């Protein structure tokens, strides 16, 4: 995991010293698109003591993905289920929650013509966390833009 801190603001924009960005390794795989599949994986991860940072599921063809504190444990649990995941990386952005908190980061990516292919965000108790996925070929460029 690469930790990048803080997000630098362009001239004239207040600096957000309370925002952190890191690149996280994720795994994504396919499963049957039917009830109970996400539960099957969650139970296997619990049994193998896999501590997840995130677990997501998209109904389009049974896409499931996750990131774990110990990626090797997640990989091993999936292998025991006969699943061959695809490795991918995404940006995890976190900090203090307020209206428009992701505008700066999304604006930098849009200005560089980098498409955010998928995103997920959550806020609770004054904090937020968001995950942004870009194409692998755009990862380095996106990282540079977010640090500009």
């Amino acid at each position: 995991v690469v930790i990048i801190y803080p997000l630098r603001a362009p001239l004239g924009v207040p600096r957000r010293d309370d925002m952190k960005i890191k690149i996280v390794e994720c795994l994504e795989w396919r499963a049957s698109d039917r009830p109970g599949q996400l539960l099957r994986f969650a139970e296997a991860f619990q049994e193998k003591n896999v501590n997840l940072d995130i677990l997501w599921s998209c109904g389009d063809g049974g896409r499931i993905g996750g990131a774990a504190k110990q990626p090797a444990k997640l990989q091993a649990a999936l292998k025991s289920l006969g699943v061959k995941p695809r490795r991918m990386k995404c940006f995890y952005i976190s900090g203090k929650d307020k209206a428009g908190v992701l505008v700066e980061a999304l604006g930098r990516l849009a200005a560089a013509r980098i498409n955010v292919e998928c995103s997920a965000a959550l806020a609770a108790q004054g904090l937020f966390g968001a995950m942004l996925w870009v194409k692998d070929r755009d990862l380095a460029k996106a990282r540079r833009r977010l640090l500009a």
Side-chain angles (χ1 to χ4, degrees):
V1 175
V2 178
I3 298 177
I4 307 161
Y5 180 80
L7 178 65
R8 296 187 195 121
L11 292 176
V13 176
R15 188 179 172 124
R16 294 198 179 170
D17 291 327
D18 58 348
M19 187 179 290
K20 296 179 186 177
I21 300 173
K22 61 182 174 178
I23 297 175
V24 177
E25 184 174 301
C26 306
L27 297 175
E28 184 180 72
W29 60 96
R30 297 257 179 204
S32 300
D33 192 6
R34 58 188 168 97
Q37 288 300 297
L38 190 59
L39 173 63
R40 178 173 74 100
F41 288 102
E43 287 175 338
F45 300 151
Q46 179 184 30
E47 182 182 306
K48 303 273 187 199
N49 200 29
V50 177
N51 189 1
L52 295 170
D53 288 322
I54 186 171
L55 178 65
W56 71 88
S57 175
C58 300
D60 60 339
R63 285 180 42 212
I64 301 176
K69 303 231 181 290
Q70 295 175 308
K73 281 182 124 177
L74 177 57
Q75 179 81 37
L78 289 169
K79 186 176 181 179
S80 74
L81 292 168
V83 173
K84 293 183 181 180
R86 174 176 78 98
R87 289 184 182 274
M88 55 195 301
K89 293 184 179 182
C90 72
F91 290 98
Y92 176 69
I93 303 174
S94 62
K96 292 181 183 177
D97 183 35
K98 66 179 185 178
V101 72
L102 290 177
V103 169
E104 182 183 339
L106 294 172
R108 286 174 178 266
L109 296 174
R113 304 194 54 77
I114 297 170
N115 187 39
V116 175
E117 294 196 318
C118 186
S119 66
L122 177 69
Q125 300 179 353
L127 300 173
F128 84 95
M131 299 189 80
L132 304 176
W133 285 266
V134 300
K135 289 190 182 300
D136 289 343
R137 68 173 185 256
D138 291 334
L139 197 64
K141 181 180 176 184
R143 180 178 175 268
R144 284 192 306 274
R145 291 300 296 181
L146 289 171
L147 289 175

